[in-house]
Amino acid sequence: MKLVFATNNAHKLTEARQILSDGVDVISLHDAGFDSDIEETGLTLEENASLKARTVFEATGLNCFADDTGLEVDALDGRPGVFSARYAGSGHNFSANVDKLLDELTNVENRKARFRTAISLILDGKEYLFEGIVNGEIMHERAGAGGFDRFRRNARGAGVDVPDVDG
């Protein structure tokens, strides 16, 4: 089965191909002939995942899936959530996102948080939604050195090792 992954993130595409290797041919947006940007205008992770998958399905007619992931911090009422990648502003500066998060958690004892991912899978026009959660807590100091993975390494999993994706 051929399945389009609605992402421009090469690392995510490689991971999906490894995970879904048995009988599933995961192809890129480019390989599916889709070269447009999809603006994430949803107010929830589910809305963004669905928006991306539906847009690709409608344009290509191919089975596809899309995801959206956010960091949800209890003490911040679930923020940054769907806005994780642009938490410090529209400049998408990941270092600034981590700085803002750590600043907001200064002197906060409850540092429980979770990474939550919503996945929209469209098969033959029917949409299926899935959710994955990794619980943990936000560390008190900066750790790591790259991109969104800074959030990942600033969250310490509760019994779950969060892999270093920078290699």
Side-chain angles (χ1 to χ4, degrees), residues 34 36-42 47-49 51-52 55 86:
F34 187 92
S36 301
D37 287 329
I38 304 171
E39 190 173 348
E40 295 182 10
T41 57
E47 287 175 3
N48 278 342
L51 172 72
K52 292 185 284 187
T55 300
R86 52 195 180 278

Side-chain angles (χ1 to χ4, degrees), residues 15-28:
E15 283 184 331
R17 285 177 171 154
Q18 291 169 347
I19 292 168
L20 301 173
S21 61
D22 291 338
V24 179
D25 181 18
V26 179
I27 65 171
S28 69

Side-chain angles (χ1 to χ4, degrees), residues 5 11 50 75 82 118 121 131 133 138-139:
F5 189 3
H11 182 74
S50 183
V82 70
L121 171 66
E131 177 184 77
I133 296 173
I138 303 298
M139 296 166 57

Side-chain angles (χ1 to χ4, degrees), residues 76-154:
L76 301 178
D77 297 321
R79 291 190 326 269
V82 70
F83 303 107
S84 294
R86 52 195 180 278
Y87 192 47
S90 61
H92 297 277
N93 182 318
F94 296 110
S95 182
N97 290 338
V98 172
D99 290 342
K100 179 176 180 175
L101 177 70
L102 292 176
D103 184 58
E104 289 183 343
L105 292 174
T106 299
N107 299 321
V108 174
E109 189 172 319
N110 176 9
R111 300 174 81 83
K112 290 181 182 176
R114 73 206 49 76
F115 278 108
R116 191 166 69 83
T117 297
I119 297 174
S120 169
L121 171 66
I122 298 181
L123 296 175
D124 301 323
K126 182 169 173 144
E127 183 177 23
Y128 303 87
L129 288 172
F130 304 91
E131 177 184 77
I133 296 173
V134 176
N135 291 306
E137 61 184 13
I138 303 298
M139 296 166 57
H140 289 272
E141 66 282 333
R142 177 181 290 278
F148 185 74
D149 199 45
R150 287 185 176 184
F151 272 144
R152 188 180 314 257
R153 283 185 288 220
N154 278 289

